[in-house]
Amino acid sequence: MKHGVAPVPASGEGAESSTLAATAELGLPEFRAIAAIMMEDARIHLVESKIVLVHSRLSRRLRDHGLTRFSDYVALVRRDATERAAMVVALTTNHTHFFREDHHFDHLRRHVLPQLQASARARKPVRIWSAGCSSGEEVYSIAMCLAGDGTASASWLRQGDVKLLATDISPPVVESVAKGVYSASTVQPIPAAYRDRWLRPQGSDFVVADELRELVTARVLNLFDRWPMRQQYDVIFCRNVMIYFDDKAKAELEARFVEMLAPGGHLYIGHSERLIGPAAAAMESVGQTIYVKAGGGSR
Ligand SMILES: C[S@@+](CC[C@H](N)C(=O)[O-])C[C@H]1O[C@@H](n2cnc3c(N)ncnc32)[C@H](O)[C@@H]1O
């Protein structure tokens, strides 16, 4: 952007701010201060071409605090931990949908589900993690694949020790996972047999059936903080999350995923992502953006 100054959105998309905040210009020094905080707190790498987006997403926060200058907002964020966390939430991108990149769910059903069922039959715990879960469409797509489309196909879930963990840095989206309520348009991509079996109408929306919601634990977790989980995971989905990180952060996080996976465990990443650093050497590719950790016998 020329001179590094964001244009002030006057109307239409991006003009989500009030007139008050829309008059605030975001200069490069303030943008860089905000980007440094995002890097420090969430390891999110904001490039300068995102200046208009940052302006648009933060204008509302300036308005809520009665501020007209981004320099004052930066000062506020530096002294107020609550506002700092709210800024991080405002600058995360939560776009997601049910059965996104559906080849991952085909793979899960065909190749991983039989192994998970065998583990459960052998009374071993089955653990699955949606890391960077957003509002839960990913974890409930996984749950529907595990449950199939009937009571009989889902019986192994009730009989075994099967748990799905869904985590995200953003508290509002984690709350949505726990609620499991989605609009009619949001549930459209779900295959009809799953929709009929696992969703119940609730007003004009749909709610995920208790049997599936009970499998899922939703928690706020910054992926760069300490992970409280003690057990290893059979499956980790971390898709369309690492695109926001720089290579150093990606390599660090992927190495931690490898450690967190049980031998023979699977890692699913987003279509534009790849493994780098030690994780690339430790994992074997078994499909498009699907990897397995060595040591799982026939897996
Ligand atoms: C684009 S969504 C992806 C959702 C889902 N995995 C999918 O592929 O549809 C990215 C999510 O990553 C989360 N995120 C970004 N940085 C994070 C971090 N440092 N720790 C945990 N979650 C993070 C965001 O809050 C957002 O909900």
Side-chain angles (χ1 to χ4, degrees):
M1 172 139 326
K2 229 177 182 182
H3 312 307
V5 178
V8 178
S11 62
E13 210 178 310
E16 53 199 37
S17 54
S18 71
T19 317
L20 176 71
T23 59
E25 286 195 8
L26 175 56
L28 265 187
E30 289 76 30
F31 173 81
R32 286 182 181 143
I34 290 165
I37 293 170
M38 291 302 288
M39 177 57 78
E40 196 178 323
D41 289 10
R43 301 287 289 270
I44 290 175
H45 180 53
L46 285 177
V47 291
E48 280 175 13
S49 59
K50 299 280 183 200
I51 194 165
V52 176
L53 178 89
V54 169
H55 181 279
S56 162
R57 294 227 183 131
L58 294 184
S59 288
R60 194 197 157 98
R61 302 225 52 85
L62 266 75
R63 181 191 67 189
D64 288 353
H65 289 283
L67 298 175
T68 53
R69 294 188 314 182
F70 269 92
S71 53
D72 292 335
Y73 184 69
V74 168
L76 171 68
V77 162
R78 284 191 172 133
R79 64 173 186 272
D80 181 337
T82 306
E83 184 53 35
R84 188 171 169 135
M87 183 186 86
V88 171
V89 167
L91 292 178
T92 55
T93 296
N94 309 120
H95 175 77
T96 186
H97 56 84
F98 280 104
F99 290 87
R100 184 180 197 179
E101 298 178 44
D102 64 355
H103 66 99
H104 283 161
F105 299 99
D106 282 344
H107 181 274
L108 182 73
R109 258 187 306 252
R110 282 169 203 237
H111 301 286
V112 182
L113 177 59
Q115 297 160 13
L116 300 178
Q117 289 172 326
S119 286
R121 273 197 304 274
R123 303 199 170 282
K124 291 184 192 155
V126 171
R127 297 288 179 267
I128 297 177
W129 181 15
S130 165
C133 60
S134 189
S135 36
E137 286 86 335
E138 181 175 89
V139 76
Y140 289 124
S141 300
I142 298 170
M144 289 179 202
C145 289
L146 302 186
D149 57 11
T151 306
S153 59
S155 63
W156 75 280
L157 293 170
R158 287 190 301 278
Q159 287 152 14
D161 172 15
V162 182
K163 290 184 181 156
L164 281 67
L165 174 68
T167 66
D168 201 282
I169 195 171
S170 168
V173 294
V174 171
E175 260 178 51
S176 303
V177 184
K179 286 190 187 129
V181 176
Y182 300 96
S183 69
S185 61
T186 303
V187 303
Q188 270 310 310
I190 303 176
Y194 293 156
R195 234 176 24 226
D196 293 347
R197 177 65 187 84
W198 299 116
L199 293 173
R200 319 227 183 288
Q202 188 177 84
S204 56
D205 295 327
F206 290 86
V207 61
V208 177
D210 290 349
E211 299 103 294
L212 295 195
R213 274 192 301 130
E214 282 160 7
L215 295 173
V216 175
T217 303
R219 290 279 181 272
V220 175
L221 179 71
N222 181 341
L223 288 168
F224 295 94
D225 285 348
R226 195 186 68 79
W227 296 348
M229 304 86 86
R230 293 210 191 93
Q231 274 172 323
Q232 284 188 311
Y233 278 71
D234 300 288
V235 177
I236 298 175
F237 275 64
C238 186
R239 308 183 311 157
N240 310 301
V241 179
M242 292 187 279
I243 37 170
Y244 301 105
F245 306 148
D246 63 15
D247 281 355
K248 187 169 176 285
K250 278 181 206 164
E252 198 180 303
L253 183 60
E254 289 171 355
R256 290 178 75 192
F257 284 141
V258 174
E259 253 181 62
M260 200 60 181
L261 276 172
H266 286 81
L267 174 65
Y268 295 82
I269 64 176
H271 63 99
S272 62
E273 295 160 337
R274 66 198 168 90
L275 294 188
I276 53 174
M283 301 290 281
E284 182 196 342
S285 167
V286 289
Q288 193 190 339
T289 53
I290 307 170
Y291 300 87
V292 68
K293 178 171 165 176
S298 62
R299 280 185 192 201

